[in-house]
Amino acid sequence: MPILRAQKEELVTRLISVLQDSRVSIIFAYKALNMKANDTLRTNAFNAGAKVKMVSNNLLKLILKGIGREMEIPSKQLAISYGFTDEVEAAKVLVEFAKETETLEVLGGWVDGNFFDASQVKTLATLPNKETLQAQLVGRLGGLIGSLAYSLNYPIQKFAFVIEAVKSAQPATAEAPKADLSAVATSEEGEATVETVENATPTDEQQTEKTQTEELEADSPDEVKEPDTVEEEAEVV
């Protein structure tokens, strides 16, 4: 049953809106695609987060014009596969199905608005999927974090080992020798003797007073000696 003009316009408008919001859209040509193969292709695309829509050449030109994209359209039966999540899985479904059945030919597509030719789409299909890339990224980040933690902790551990080695290498503290009490006593006696000698030596003031006293005694007259007897006293008279 042919599609009416209004239905065509509605289909073009809907696909323009969908392709503008999609993350990946791939155009491919198909031939001798029976009902079973068609169902298998759609199921595989659905499991990869994508959808498949068969369109005529004229409608495809209108759709590409509506989203501002250009591509050479061959005179073949064409279809569009588009997805919103993983561009790698969407490309892988078409490339693998084309190898297995030889009923598809990838022509090109867009990923995040960037055009990919047929060879680039095939290269995209060989990349790891999103989950694998995330796991690899987490593994590498974990390894980097572990290496960084080891690099930061190693100097501290090494310093602690050095401190422990220094403590282990230090000898036990020797006891201080007992003081010789006899030597101390002798020293104290010697100090006492010196102090006595120093005290026995007269000072300058004492020497001066002694000299003055001797001079006064020398200048004074001799004391009169009292007579021992009466006779001596009479004789004197």
Side-chain angles (χ1 to χ4, degrees):
M1 181 178 179
I3 301 177
L4 300 178
R5 182 180 180 85
Q7 293 175 332
K8 292 180 180 180
E9 292 178 354
E10 181 183 356
L11 177 61
V12 170
T13 302
R14 181 166 57 85
L15 287 178
I16 288 175
S17 176
V18 169
L19 293 179
Q20 285 177 339
D21 297 334
S22 65
R23 185 169 184 176
V24 55
S25 57
I26 301 173
I27 298 174
F28 62 94
Y30 64 94
K31 61 180 180 180
L33 191 64
N34 56 33
M35 185 64 67
K36 183 178 180 180
N38 187 18
D39 291 342
T40 302
L41 176 60
R42 292 177 182 273
T43 301
N44 294 343
F46 179 80
N47 293 334
K51 293 183 178 181
V52 174
K53 184 67 178 178
M54 276 69 174
V55 293
S56 65
N57 294 20
N58 292 332
L59 290 181
L60 181 58
K61 291 178 181 179
L62 292 175
I63 293 170
L64 295 180
K65 184 178 180 180
I67 59 179
R69 298 174 183 175
E70 296 181 358
M71 180 179 177
E72 184 178 354
I73 305 300
S75 299
K76 298 179 180 181
Q77 292 179 311
L78 303 177
I80 300 177
S81 175
Y82 55 90
F84 301 91
T85 55
D86 194 343
E87 62 275 11
V88 174
E89 287 297 318
K92 188 174 295 186
V93 167
L94 295 179
V95 172
E96 291 180 354
F97 193 85
K99 290 180 180 180
E100 293 173 358
T101 63
E102 297 182 355
T103 58
L104 297 184
E105 180 186 359
V106 176
L107 302 178
W110 290 265
V111 177
D112 292 331
N114 300 313
F115 178 74
F116 279 48
D117 59 19
S119 61
Q120 290 174 325
V121 173
K122 293 178 181 179
T123 302
L124 179 64
T126 61
L127 298 177
N129 57 20
K130 186 176 181 179
E131 289 75 12
T132 303
L133 290 175
Q134 289 176 345
Q136 292 177 352
L137 178 61
V138 171
R140 291 183 179 180
L141 289 177
L144 291 175
I145 293 173
S147 299
L148 178 61
Y150 176 78
S151 299
L152 294 176
N153 290 331
Y154 179 73
I156 300 176
Q157 294 176 352
K158 186 176 181 181
F159 180 73
F161 292 154
V162 171
I163 295 298
E164 188 65 24
V166 171
K167 289 182 178 180
S168 301
Q170 287 181 349
T173 304
E175 295 183 358
K178 295 182 179 180
D180 190 353
L181 298 179
S182 60
V184 174
T186 303
S187 176
E188 291 179 353
E189 291 177 358
E191 292 179 357
T193 304
V194 172
E195 184 178 358
T196 303
V197 173
E198 290 179 353
N199 293 335
T201 303
T203 61
D204 294 340
E205 294 180 356
Q206 293 175 348
Q207 185 67 30
T208 303
E209 291 179 357
K210 183 178 180 181
T211 303
Q212 292 177 354
T213 303
E214 291 177 352
E215 290 178 354
L216 291 175
E217 290 178 354
D219 294 340
S220 61
D222 296 337
E223 294 180 356
V224 178
K225 185 177 181 182
E226 294 181 358
D228 294 335
T229 62
V230 177
E231 293 179 356
E232 290 180 355
E233 182 180 355
E235 186 178 356
V236 171
V237 174

